[in-house]
Amino acid sequence: NSKPEMIVVDEKGFRSLPGSIAVARAYISGASGDVAGTMTYARQAIDNLPEDANFWRGAATAFLGISNWALGNLEEAHEAFANGIAILKLEGDTDLEVSGDYVLAKIRMGQGRLRAAQRTIEQAIQVSKDLGEPAVIGTSDLYVGLAELNCEYGDVESASKYLSQSQELGEHAAINENLHHLYIVKSRIKMIEGDSDAALDLLAEAGRVYVKSPSPDVHPVASLQ
């Protein structure tokens, strides 16, 4: 008896399958701290994905940026992640520009390029405003980023104002993996104000809500404590 012929309903999805599996493995590797694995699987995905598989190619390129960030190759990280977000936007998902720009701003902060980080965040906030209500996911994180920047500038009043704006938007406008950043910046403000007990309580809360992700933990709670 001859074997039945396989019927492929979604040809594009079928052609993308090896690459999409590699992207999933890149995510798992990143979340478990295996930076080398993330980079290997991201490159494997890019090599195997069809040219028109924009979603998966964009995700793989972004993971390449994330792995370079974890390795400290910050300029390469910024370039790859920006390219990844640009590819993903070809799928018409403008929301990704908001959450993606937060990552790009964090990379710029790591380089000490605070004004460039601020410009990136302000542009993303404008994109979010243009998209209307309710605020797209990731918008709340942008205001946390502005608060962090203002801590760097020594402007605690502005930092507190931006944190309030972030909280007014609510947790639905934040990415779960970034929620601990809010408590870290709150803690930093308390330290600047001289309230170390409150700062430690907030760091404990940051540790409680922390979620592992492929993004490098550039401000480990234990180190801050």
Side-chain angles (χ1 to χ4, degrees), residues 133-154:
E133 298 293 339
V136 300
I137 187 168
T139 304
S140 178
D141 301 326
L142 296 172
Y143 287 98
V144 174
L146 285 179
E148 182 179 356
L149 284 166
N150 276 273
C151 282
E152 292 287 347
Y153 301 149

Side-chain angles (χ1 to χ4, degrees), residues 20-207:
S20 62
I21 291 172
V23 171
R25 286 174 172 162
Y27 181 92
I28 293 169
S29 295
S32 62
D34 181 4
V35 179
T38 305
M39 185 169 284
T40 296
Y41 286 123
R43 285 174 173 160
Q44 187 180 106
I46 293 168
D47 289 342
N48 286 281
L49 284 165
E51 287 296 326
D52 58 350
N54 290 325
F55 177 83
W56 295 112
R57 291 188 70 83
T61 306
F63 279 129
L64 201 58
I66 291 292
S67 56
N68 271 293
W69 184 14
L71 291 170
N73 304 324
L74 299 185
E75 195 56 45
E76 293 90 337
H78 190 278
E79 181 180 0
F81 196 87
N83 287 341
I85 294 301
I87 295 169
L88 286 166
K89 282 174 62 182
L90 295 175
E91 292 290 288
D93 193 344
T94 315
D95 295 5
L96 287 167
E97 184 173 354
V98 172
S99 56
D101 276 351
Y102 178 71
V103 173
L104 292 173
K106 291 291 287 184
I107 293 171
R108 286 298 189 223
M109 288 184 207
Q111 293 177 302
R113 299 179 59 181
L114 303 185
R115 296 300 179 188
Q118 183 173 339
R119 287 193 297 271
T120 297
I121 290 175
E122 289 172 346
Q123 289 165 5
I125 287 173
Q126 188 58 54
V127 169
S128 177
K129 288 178 178 178
D130 292 343
L131 291 171
E133 298 293 339
V136 300
I137 187 168
T139 304
S140 178
D141 301 326
L142 296 172
Y143 287 98
V144 174
L146 285 179
E148 182 179 356
L149 284 166
N150 276 273
C151 282
E152 292 287 347
Y153 301 149
D155 187 347
V156 175
E157 184 179 349
S158 293
S160 298
K161 180 192 72 174
Y162 287 125
L163 280 186
S164 296
Q165 287 181 270
S166 173
Q167 291 181 284
E168 285 170 11
L169 287 169
E171 290 187 8
H172 69 278
I175 293 177
N176 192 41
E177 296 168 354
N178 294 332
L179 184 57
H180 67 292
H181 293 170
L182 171 68
Y183 295 100
I184 287 175
V185 177
K186 276 185 173 183
S187 172
R188 187 169 179 184
I189 290 172
K190 289 298 181 183
M191 279 299 295
I192 293 171
E193 292 174 342
D195 190 346
S196 57
D197 289 339
L200 284 168
D201 288 342
L202 286 162
L203 286 175
E205 186 65 12

